[in-house]
């Protein structure tokens, strides 16, 4: 900043009150680096991440998103991923060695969720539905089911089935919003 102040006060040109070309370039570079608008970002949230429903009952998994730019319609993608561990079996065998190990891992890592956090290669992963504009397309496995994306991004099951228990990921993709958090998940247990 001393260079800028000296360039502004004594000038590098012929007149002492005008800044020199180097000082002007330096100030422009400094301002363009530190004073630019934030990059486009997207924020996806799931307001209720845990749902327990009775078999054949309807359920809606809410998903909302905010974008900093909106010239194009984003693509909403809901994916199903099976649980990494069986929540129901764990509920009936709380003294198992695996449950004790998971409790120790969770104690060392407060955000750890053994039912959600595992490699996709060790569980079932499939697309439930996608939406762009008003067009909703169901994934192959869900064809014929009464499932749709309502509102901007909510996944609605008119009737749940046994195989619906799992983790549902809401992803929103926009060519303009490349930063931020474009994915959130909700867990669904069908009893």
């Amino acid at each position: 900043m001393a260079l800028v102040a000296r360039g502004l006060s004594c000038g590098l040109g012929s007149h002492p009150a005008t800044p020199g070309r180097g000082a002007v370039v330096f100030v422009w570079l400094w301002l363009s680096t530190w004073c630019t608008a934030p990059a486009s970002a997207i924020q996806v949230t799931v307001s209720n991440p845990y749902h327990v429903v009775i078999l054949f009952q309807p359920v809606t998994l809410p998903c909302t998103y905010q974008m900093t730019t909106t010239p194009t319609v984003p693509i909403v993608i809901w994916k199903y991923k099976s649980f990494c561990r069986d929540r129901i079996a764990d509920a009936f065998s709380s003294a198992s060695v695996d449950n004790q190990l998971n409790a120790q891992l969770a104690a060392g890592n407060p955000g750890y969720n053994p039912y959600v956090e595992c490699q996709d290669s060790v569980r079932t992963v499939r697309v439930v539905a996608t939406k762009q504009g008003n067009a909703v397309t169901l994934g192959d496995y869900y064809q014929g089911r009464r499932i749709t994306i309502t509102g901007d991004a909510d996944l609605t099951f008119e009737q749940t089935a046994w195989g619906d228990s799992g983790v549902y990921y809401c992803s929103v993709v926009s060519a303009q919003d490349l930063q931020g958090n474009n994915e959130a998940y909700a867990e669904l247990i069908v009893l």
Side-chain angles (χ1 to χ4, degrees):
M1 287 310 262
L3 173 65
V4 173
R6 187 178 47 193
L8 289 174
S9 64
C10 65
L12 298 176
S14 61
H15 190 275
T18 59
R21 184 175 199 165
V24 171
V25 170
F26 177 77
V27 169
W28 180 81
L29 286 173
W30 183 79
L31 288 174
S32 67
T33 303
W34 294 104
C35 300
T36 56
S40 296
I42 191 165
Q43 183 63 37
V44 175
T45 55
V46 170
S47 60
N48 183 2
Y50 303 102
H51 299 269
V52 179
V53 296
I54 304 296
L55 181 65
F56 304 126
Q57 295 301 306
V59 67
T60 296
L61 307 178
C63 178
T64 57
Y65 61 89
Q66 294 179 338
M67 300 181 353
T68 56
T69 60
T70 56
T72 61
V73 177
I75 299 171
V76 176
I77 304 166
W78 275 94
K79 288 184 283 185
Y80 163 87
K81 296 184 181 186
S82 60
F83 285 119
C84 300
R85 296 176 45 86
D86 187 348
R87 280 191 173 274
I88 304 300
D90 284 355
F92 291 109
S93 61
S94 60
S96 75
V97 173
D98 285 342
N99 284 341
Q100 292 171 1
L101 289 173
N102 283 328
Q104 290 172 354
L105 284 171
N109 182 5
Y112 176 71
N113 184 340
Y115 302 102
V116 175
E117 296 178 36
C118 65
Q119 300 273 334
D120 285 348
S121 61
V122 298
R123 61 181 170 179
T124 302
V125 178
R126 55 185 168 240
V127 173
V128 179
T130 61
K131 179 180 180 181
Q132 185 169 23
N134 291 326
V136 176
T137 305
L138 291 181
D140 292 339
Y141 184 82
Y142 298 92
Q143 292 293 320
R145 299 270 312 270
R146 293 188 319 229
I147 299 171
T148 191
I149 298 176
T150 57
D152 285 337
D154 301 340
L155 182 65
T156 299
F157 292 78
E158 286 188 29
Q159 193 175 54
T160 54
W162 281 120
D164 291 339
S165 290
V167 186
Y168 289 82
Y169 287 82
C170 175
S171 303
V172 179
V173 180
S174 171
Q176 282 75 34
D177 289 314
L178 302 176
Q179 296 180 347
N181 179 22
N182 76 325
E183 184 175 84
Y185 69 85
E187 296 180 49
L188 174 64
I189 298 175
V190 179
L191 301 175

